[in-house]
């Protein structure tokens, strides 16, 4: 993948964007594996949401975005959606594991 400065046309740009999007999706998939693994350490369904953890994560993601020159408000909102989706997925996974164990 060429750096933005070395791209010679839209095909180079589109290839790089597609490559990056694939890496983002792969990273989200890996994150999901960790989220599901975390369910093994959750004693009950109520502990999955971890509101204190979420409350500390969102401002941190905002700061990271700002440090990277991105819109912190947008990234915080994006991660809010991402985190709540993972919480829902982890809850479903936890319940599924629990029902199989009974």
């Amino acid at each position: 993948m060429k750096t933005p400065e070395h791209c010679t046309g839209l095909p180079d740009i589109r290839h790089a964007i597609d490559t990056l999007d694939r890496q983002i999706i792969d990273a989200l998939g890996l994150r999901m594996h960790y989220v599901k693994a975390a369910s093994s350490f959750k004693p009950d369904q109520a502990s999955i949401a971890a509101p204190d953890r979420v409350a500390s994560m969102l401002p941190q993601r905002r700061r990271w975005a700002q440090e990277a020159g991105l819109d912190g408000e947008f990234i915080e909102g994006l991660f809010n959606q991402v985190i709540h989706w993972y919480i829902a997925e982890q809850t479903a996974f936890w319940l599924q594991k629990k029902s199989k164990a009974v």
Side-chain angles (χ1 to χ4, degrees):
M1 182 171 68
K2 296 178 181 180
T3 63
E5 302 79 27
H6 290 99
C7 290
T8 58
L10 282 177
D12 288 344
I13 298 287
R14 289 178 178 150
H15 172 73
I17 288 171
D18 290 347
T19 299
L20 290 167
D21 287 351
R22 180 59 192 226
Q23 291 172 351
I24 291 167
I25 290 167
D26 289 345
L28 289 170
L30 180 58
R31 190 181 194 282
M32 182 64 76
H33 289 296
Y34 281 102
V35 166
K36 288 181 177 179
S39 70
S40 298
F41 302 99
K42 304 288 176 113
D44 52 43
Q45 184 178 348
S47 66
I48 292 172
D52 292 342
R53 166 84 172 134
V54 172
S56 69
M57 288 174 70
L58 292 175
Q60 183 181 51
R61 282 16 177 213
R62 175 188 283 261
R63 280 192 307 278
W64 290 348
Q66 291 167 335
E67 289 167 5
L70 299 171
D71 181 333
E73 183 178 346
F74 172 78
I75 297 298
E76 184 175 347
L78 177 63
F79 268 89
N80 186 46
Q81 289 185 316
V82 167
I83 290 166
H84 285 90
W85 177 63
Y86 279 109
I87 289 169
E89 292 294 311
Q90 186 183 64
T91 300
F93 184 75
W94 188 91
L95 289 169
Q96 180 184 34
K97 276 182 36 182
K98 185 83 169 163
S99 70
K100 288 181 181 178
V102 174

